[in-house]
Amino acid sequence: MSREEAPGEEGFREFEDFLKHWSRRDFVKRMGIGAAYTAFLAGGVEFMEACANAGTGNPTTVTPKKGGHLTEGTISDIKTLNPVLTSDTASSEIVGLLYDSLLNLTANGDLRPLLAKALPQTSSDGLTYTVTLRDNIKWTDGSPITADDVKMTYDFMFDPQYKDVNSPRRGDLEQYVKSITVKDAKTIVFTLKSVYAPFAVNQLQYGILPKKLWGSLAPKEVNTTDMNTGPTVTSGVFKFQKWDKGQQVTLARNDGYWQGAPYLDTFIYKVVADSVAIGNQLKTGEIDYGQIDPSQFSDLSAQSSLSVVTFPVAIFTFYAYNQNSTAKVAQMFSDKAVRQALLYALDRQGMADALYFKQAVVATSSMPPISWAYNKDAKPQYPHDPAKANSMLDAAGWAKGSDGIRAKGGQKLSFTMITNAGNKVRENSLVAMQDAWKQIGVDATPKLITFPQLVAQITNDRSYDVFLVGFSWSAEPDQSALWHSRNTAPGGFNGFSYKSSAMDKILDDAVATLDQNKRKQLYFQMQDILNDEVPAPILVFNKGIWGINKRVQGMTGGDFGLGTYTQFQNKAWMRTTFVSDGK
Amino acid sequence: MAVDQTALTQLEGTPVQYEGALARPAQSYWSESWERLRGSRFGMFFGGILVLLALIAIAAPLVPIFVTHVQPTSVNLSGSFGSFSSAHLLGTDELGRDTFTRLVYAARVSLGVGFLAVALYLLIGGTVGITAGFYGGVTDDLLMRFVDILLAIPTIYLLILITSMLPLPVGPIIIKHDAISLSVIIAITVWGGVARLVRGEVLSVKNRDFMLATRSIGASNLRLMARHLLPNVLPVMIVAASLGVGQIILTEAALDFIGLGVQPPTASWGNMLLNAQSYFYHSTSLVILPGVCIVVAVLSANIFGNAVRDAFDPRLK
Amino acid sequence: MLARYVVRRAVASIPVVFGVTLITFTLLHATSGAFVPGLELNPNLRPADIIRIRNNLGLNDPLPLQYWHWIAGAWPPSFHCSGGLICGDFGRSLVDGSPVRDHILERLPNTLELTITAILLGVLISIPLGVVGALRRGSVIDNFFTFLSVAGVSIPSFWLALLLILLFSVSFHAWGLPWLPSGGAVNSFEGGDPIDRLTHLILPASCLAFVYIAIWSRFTRSSMLETLSQDYVRTARAKGMSERRVTYLHALRNSLVPLVTLIGLELPGLVSGGAIIEIVFSWPGVGRLALERALQYDYTMVLGLTTFIALLVVIGNLLADVLYGLLDPRIRYA
């Protein structure tokens, strides 16, 4: 945006006042400076009002236009269109548009009923969840969605007779669910083996399949049926049109959608080579919106045709100290002072600024700040303090040798760090960490391996010294996957062998009650313990960054706008989205 | 039966003499070719550039000490995407590392792989070609059939296949994404062409008089192959190698660019370009400089290689 | 005679094909094979799940059995087709279970479109460049073309592609000029018409043709020079034929024959040649498929793809051999 665009010097000055008046952080960051200026030119007052509305509902000043297409750019192609089999983000994104689920989430992570009439009714002992379906929900062929459809879908993932279905959800369902029964055409009852608070959030958001077409399939056929690549009868806001493998998926409006048809005619999920291509195609308009890298934030924000929205997400990067008894470094890392000192030595804010281009937030505890269980006062905290790191290591007996590397009892404070190749931010993180630790006399060497090898190391081999990887929490605050001792078993993600019976009890108690206040207290305790013990410190929490073409309206703002929990599988904003040129 | 050494040496070293002929002294193939090469101005100039690049690459560790005063791995999070300055001659990258130093270290990788891979594929291809051509029969059939199989798989696919499996534990060692392993992998993929070439040349030399004569004296197979066949097929191998260096440098850079070659934090021109691609908005020089380096290196190798081929190709007499 | 020659060459190709499958199979299974699709950082996958999924995909069978499945389908063998290479089944993707053959057939036309266009472009531009160079030998323009040729084979194709995209796609769009798309084969929405396909094809095909032009223009030039110095050309001139007729009627036509040989050498590489270009331009061809799937450790897909491509190369070589056999009778009797 250059001065030549200003209608006059005066206009520009007024715009600057406008920006000062309206909090830059909030509004401008979400809509982009270009958008702000254009909007200001278009009619400042109405626009300011619209912004006031943005907090509570969708901006309503522009009348929605029917028709047109919307193209999302993505790096990965989908793999399957079967909600029972999906395990990757891309597939679940499209599945979410094709098949509705019992519940979904608002942008902030609150549960909302979708196919269900209301949130599940829980019994007083917390063991049964009764879900009643709405009356007006139907499949694209006109027939109503019934409890039988729900039961069949869950049977694929739970019932012993469907063991041959390659569903990644079977493990969890088998562990927590005792039975699933149909009470009547509109009611399903889930009975659990024990009270499990995360059940509704984690297990009731799967797309439901129509029994009419799927009920007669043999278990193995569920894995290979053509309906996995070309679904015929669906229930979601869009219908399947075609899938050009490796290029794009095309969806068409579902006119009979029970919530009302969307404005758009077509939705296209276009596969491009990499994030650079997403940036390029956003600029040329070949795609309408897509998730972008932090490095592209400033470039795309400066484009007059685009707005860039950012919001916190529960995705983070963390590293772990191997404390498996067989690890060579276990002795080294068993000393809490060492673990803490190493964390003090890292300039995490510097990393967030340079590696994430300021589009990430330094983690203050293991809980994402957006969670209702977030403890903002978790102690201790770890600001960048190399002096403290040095003194802590000195006090712990690690003296600097002649080569500048600390040693104790003949063992050098030296180790390798692994992460997966191909992820620039992670690779660069290791380089930054190596440098920061070199300053305090610690010799850390980065090593890149393939992603499957990394996963194998974390879940099975566990012969690494330190690993760095990304992870994500669901809208549920339960963090047993990383911190519970039972997940130190082979296959579990507690690959650094953190075992604490106190922590186990906190985690178990926290999921065994539905009382949110009680859970919150327990999670506060959990965060304090983790901040003290730092078995696997979290570096930063990422931000979701999306570039959106200005012609796209109705995608952001309000409870269901594009946000933390409405990025991928849950595109609750698709109903209100339209393109201003109707094309 | 003892080999008559004297007779053998005599046979090899007999110069051809014509009485009374006004001829300039007979030159060996080698000195004649070398002289021809020296005469090519372009060739020598670019050969010089190649040597210069190689020297800079070898002397890479000296650069941080005497020229730039920073290591290629020194991170400076607050100094990313710096512009050209006295402290950073060619600016800095996304982690604040000095671009000039990294380019110099990257030269080691690119040139190293270029020369090492060529040496290796000459070694493998030459050995196989000579063996197959010399022994003929079943050996020849088997070896050449294997070469056919290898050549049927397009190079890039084979490379993608193999490099996507790294790091790969093979017995006691782990093959990683480093320059030496890549040289070996590339050499293994492309030696087939040289083998065919060498074998063809061996077939035509095999039945010449001097070969039959030498064999009749009782020279061992190994001696025949090493001392007699090899020098005669060397020109063909040199020709093959002359353009190979440039080709290999390009192949290695392409592998790095698609993410399957040398991995960060080790710098190579190819993976510097891969990185720079995402940060084009923040720094144009990062996209231009490594590419220019590749072009200069490959151009020099190609022009010098052309000159070598012109000078050494026995068929161009 | 010819038939016997063809049959001989064809029979000789079969062991090559099997050798290829053996090599690719061995290479891919040299890894620990620990990968199971979907095993991302999903806290919900239990060890029992992983074992179950691996079993369902047949990854736990002994290697020779897996190879048999791969070549000939189910064990024990039966006469009707139960899968395997022999029946044209190139396996199923480890990542989504879809047949490899479908992916290949979908993408192959795109690759051919790219490489054939590049070859045509190469021929169209190389010939005039080479002729001009030969006719104006030693002139400034000849030296310039020579320099371009040498530079052409020295520029990394992916770098050229990158620069072209930045210029013709992003920068042109920013400057308000008519711009070219930066990737893909067609517009995602209402694309597919010939004009649309053409605009998407220009940049990648030009990039690919770049190297062809560099080499073939040189070759045309030297071939032309050689022809022009032949006796029959001098005779034609002496007979009073106009210079232009001499050039185009005689010299050019005859100097093109060796060029055809060169182009023929490209036949086997028709399917594999543009892999890097495909990757940079997100061109939906088989080359990009190979890289994408290799990065996802979709072993069976890469295995099937490589085998298929090698098969095409063998067939391409066979065709080239037959062609030369037709053209040059001496070869048939070798």
Side-chain angles (χ1 to χ4, degrees), chain A residues 254-275:
Chain A
N254 179 3
D255 287 303
Y257 187 49
W258 63 271
Q259 282 191 79
Y263 296 113
L264 297 163
D265 289 333
T266 326
F267 173 78
I268 298 167
Y269 193 64
K270 181 179 178 187
V271 182
V272 298
D274 48 34
S275 51

Side-chain angles (χ1 to χ4, degrees), chain B residues 19-242:
Chain B
E19 276 208 67
L22 263 178
R24 57 187 167 85
Q27 271 181 311
S28 77
Y29 162 76
W30 296 104
S31 53
E32 197 181 310
S33 304
W34 186 231
E35 209 176 89
R36 232 210 311 272
L37 179 63
R38 267 208 303 252
S40 158
R41 280 191 340 256
F42 264 144
M44 292 311 284
F45 176 67
F46 282 98
I49 294 190
L50 204 58
V51 169
L52 186 65
L53 284 175
L55 285 176
I56 294 180
I58 295 175
L62 297 177
V63 170
I65 301 178
F66 294 109
V67 183
T68 55
H69 308 289
V70 278
Q71 291 294 327
T73 49
S74 303
V75 167
N76 179 9
L77 292 178
S78 50
S80 43
F81 302 118
S83 36
F84 295 16
S85 66
S86 49
H88 296 284
L89 290 169
L90 292 176
T92 60
D93 68 0
E94 71 272 15
L95 283 175
R97 295 177 293 198
D98 181 53
T99 305
F100 181 68
T101 318
R102 281 175 64 81
L103 282 176
V104 170
Y105 270 83
R108 284 192 146 185
V109 173
S110 303
L111 291 176
V113 173
F115 288 115
L116 184 58
V118 169
L120 284 175
Y121 84 60
L122 282 182
L123 187 65
I124 305 174
T127 313
V128 172
I130 291 181
T131 316
F134 182 77
Y135 285 105
V138 178
T139 320
D140 182 22
D141 260 343
L142 276 176
L143 282 175
M144 283 302 114
R145 194 47 41 87
F146 185 67
V147 168
D148 282 341
I149 294 175
L150 193 62
L151 288 176
I153 309 176
T155 317
I156 190 71
Y157 280 88
L158 201 52
L159 286 174
I160 289 179
L161 217 75
I162 301 179
T163 51
S164 68
M165 301 190 302
L166 304 181
L168 180 64
V170 171
I173 44 170
I174 301 182
I175 306 177
K176 296 179 286 241
H177 281 280
D178 61 78
I180 298 189
S181 306
L182 281 175
S183 308
V184 173
I185 292 173
I186 294 179
I188 290 179
T189 324
V190 298
W191 62 263
V194 176
R196 270 224 191 119
L197 213 62
V198 168
R199 171 189 173 271
E201 197 67 12
V202 167
L203 285 180
S204 71
V205 170
K206 191 161 80 160
N207 295 315
R208 286 212 215 134
D209 287 343
F210 81 90
M211 284 295 295
L212 294 170
T214 322
R215 194 200 295 255
S216 70
I217 298 187
S220 76
N221 281 341
L222 200 61
R223 193 190 172 93
L224 278 168
M225 288 197 282
R227 272 224 90 212
H228 297 272
L229 277 180
L230 186 58
N232 282 290
V233 300
L234 261 183
V236 175
M237 287 170 69
I238 291 180
V239 168
S242 61

Side-chain angles (χ1 to χ4, degrees), chain A residues 330-578:
Chain A
Q331 176 82 323
M332 209 189 302
F333 292 139
S334 60
D335 185 356
K336 188 165 77 176
V338 173
R339 302 197 301 269
Q340 291 183 335
L342 287 176
L343 188 53
Y344 275 116
L346 294 181
D347 179 8
R348 290 186 290 166
Q349 186 60 54
M351 286 166 75
D353 290 343
L355 302 178
Y356 293 86
F357 295 81
K358 304 198 203 305
Q359 299 308 314
V361 171
V362 173
T364 52
S365 85
S366 68
M367 200 63 79
I370 41 165
S371 169
W372 53 264
Y374 171 62
N375 179 2
K376 64 176 168 52
D377 299 316
K379 291 189 210 332
Q381 284 300 313
Y382 294 85
H384 179 49
D385 199 340
K388 184 159 182 180
N390 272 319
S391 58
M392 282 179 81
L393 286 175
D394 286 331
W398 292 90
K400 273 197 186 164
S402 53
D403 56 359
I405 308 201
R406 294 180 182 271
K408 176 174 169 183
Q411 186 189 26
K412 284 201 184 170
L413 195 42
S414 162
F415 50 86
T416 46
M417 320 178 274
I418 58 174
T419 194
N420 59 305
N423 183 320
K424 248 191 319 298
V425 178
R426 281 185 213 161
E427 293 171 8
N428 284 345
S429 299
L430 284 192
V431 176
M433 286 157 72
Q434 173 187 40
D435 195 72
W437 284 335
K438 190 153 105 176
Q439 310 293 328
I440 59 164
V442 176
D443 173 47
T445 321
K447 193 169 112 169
L448 299 178
I449 56 181
T450 67
F451 187 65
Q453 288 172 330
L454 181 64
V455 176
Q457 273 287 342
I458 298 175
T459 58
N460 277 296
D461 308 331
R462 297 169 179 173
S463 56
Y464 65 90
D465 294 337
V466 167
F467 72 75
L468 177 88
V469 83
F471 205 64
S472 68
W473 302 124
S474 71
E476 240 294 317
D478 174 42
Q479 299 190 353
S480 305
L482 284 186
W483 317 122
H484 200 290
S485 66
R486 67 160 182 265
N487 286 317
T488 58
F493 288 97
N494 185 345
F496 38 92
S497 210
Y498 173 65
K499 292 185 184 143
S500 153
S501 44
M503 178 61 73
D504 285 353
K505 183 154 183 354
I506 291 178
L507 290 171
D508 289 335
D509 286 346
V511 296
T513 171
L514 300 180
D515 178 347
Q516 203 173 66
N517 276 322
K518 223 164 116 192
R519 298 186 72 199
K520 192 165 171 179
Q521 291 313 310
L522 287 167
Y523 286 124
F524 271 37
Q525 280 180 38
M526 176 194 83
Q527 290 167 72
D528 279 332
I529 296 181
L530 288 173
N531 270 22
D532 185 48
E533 291 289 326
V534 285
I538 300 183
L539 292 177
V540 294
F541 277 98
N542 297 16
K543 279 201 185 164
I545 317 174
W546 291 76
I548 310 176
N549 192 302
K550 295 251 182 74
R551 79 185 194 115
V552 180
Q553 310 276 324
M555 189 188 280
T556 52
D559 279 348
F560 292 99
L562 180 66
T564 313
Y565 293 103
T566 46
Q567 293 183 88
F568 304 121
Q569 172 183 342
N570 177 9
K571 295 193 200 291
W573 37 265
M574 195 57 88
R575 273 203 329 110
T576 53
T577 307
F578 63 95

Side-chain angles (χ1 to χ4, degrees), chain A residues 69 79 87 163-166 172 175 245-248 268 273 280-281 283-284 286 450-452 470 490 493, chain C residues 35 38 40-42 44 46-47 52 56 95-96 103 106-107 170 173 179 181-182 188-189 282 284 288 297:
Chain A
H69 71 284
K79 296 182 181 145
S87 54
K163 254 198 143 51
D164 283 333
V165 176
N166 286 340
D172 260 353
Q175 182 176 8
K245 297 227 175 93
Q247 292 191 64
Q248 64 187 56
I268 298 167
N280 286 344
Q281 296 201 16
K283 288 190 209 171
T284 58
E286 287 167 87
T450 67
F451 187 65
F493 288 97
Chain C
F35 180 69
E40 291 143 47
L41 284 187
N42 181 346
N44 301 315
R46 305 289 152 94
R52 188 174 34 83
N56 286 349
V95 155
D96 57 29
H103 283 269
E106 233 183 83
R107 308 258 206 154
V170 181
H173 183 260
W179 51 276
S182 61
S188 42
F189 181 68
S282 330
R288 185 161 83 101
Y297 315 101

Side-chain angles (χ1 to χ4, degrees), chain C residues 157-222:
Chain C
S157 54
F158 60 87
W159 191 54
L160 181 66
L162 197 58
L163 295 177
L164 286 181
I165 292 178
L166 288 172
L167 178 64
F168 287 101
S169 197
V170 181
S171 298
F172 269 35
H173 183 260
W175 300 333
L177 296 169
W179 51 276
L180 289 170
S182 61
V186 290
N187 241 346
S188 42
F189 181 68
E190 284 177 355
D193 55 284
I195 302 283
D196 184 46
R197 287 200 83 94
L198 202 67
T199 49
H200 278 89
L201 193 52
I202 296 180
L203 280 182
S206 307
C207 250
L208 198 52
F210 197 70
V211 177
Y212 290 149
I213 295 173
I215 302 178
W216 293 345
S217 63
R218 291 296 295 164
F219 196 78
T220 310
R221 176 185 176 279
S222 51

